[in-house]
Amino acid sequence: EGVDTANAEFVLEHETEVALAKQLLKLPEVLERLEDELYPNQLCDYLFETSQKFNQFYENCPVIQAETEELRASRTALCTVTSQLLSLSLGLLGIGVLDKI
């Protein structure tokens, strides 16, 4: 059974969900600094921090086994957005990503 993430509203109940969402929202600022200062390591640092925040979220917040369908859709959407952001950012660094492992 698929989860409709296209129209999911984000429900941020756990502190790690909030921390991850805030981290994802920093991307435009990071890209602007990267453009101004030409230090690609800033994007690498951001990706590392984002990966850490995602791991903390995933460890603390059940996605498939979420308590409600709304929360499941929200957490699935948060995973999807994180995946897209990581893929985009790695692409900017010239690093390809795998679709599946």
Side-chain angles (χ1 to χ4, degrees):
E1 166 185 327
V3 176
D4 179 20
T5 60
N7 298 313
E9 290 191 26
F10 288 96
V11 179
L12 306 175
E13 292 185 348
H14 194 274
E15 64 186 59
T16 59
E17 288 173 302
V18 174
L20 177 58
K22 286 181 178 179
Q23 179 70 15
L24 297 176
L25 292 172
K26 291 179 184 178
L27 180 63
E29 174 188 324
V30 170
L31 293 177
E32 189 173 305
R33 273 198 335 261
L34 176 64
E35 182 181 31
D36 291 343
E37 300 170 14
L38 301 176
Y39 290 118
N41 65 298
Q42 293 179 15
L43 184 55
C44 296
D45 292 342
Y46 172 76
L47 286 169
F48 181 71
E49 291 170 19
T50 303
S51 297
Q52 288 181 317
K53 300 251 188 249
F54 178 79
N55 284 333
Q56 292 165 355
F57 154 74
Y58 198 75
E59 184 176 304
N60 290 289
C61 299
V63 177
I64 301 301
Q65 301 297 325
E67 295 84 20
T68 66
E69 188 61 33
E70 178 185 47
L71 192 55
R72 180 178 173 200
S74 173
R75 289 179 176 171
T76 301
L78 195 55
C79 290
T80 300
V81 170
T82 303
S83 172
Q84 292 169 345
L85 181 140
L86 292 173
S87 181
L88 170 75
S89 299
L90 288 168
L92 291 173
L93 292 169
I95 301 170
V97 296
L98 300 173
D99 290 331
K100 292 183 180 183
I101 295 181

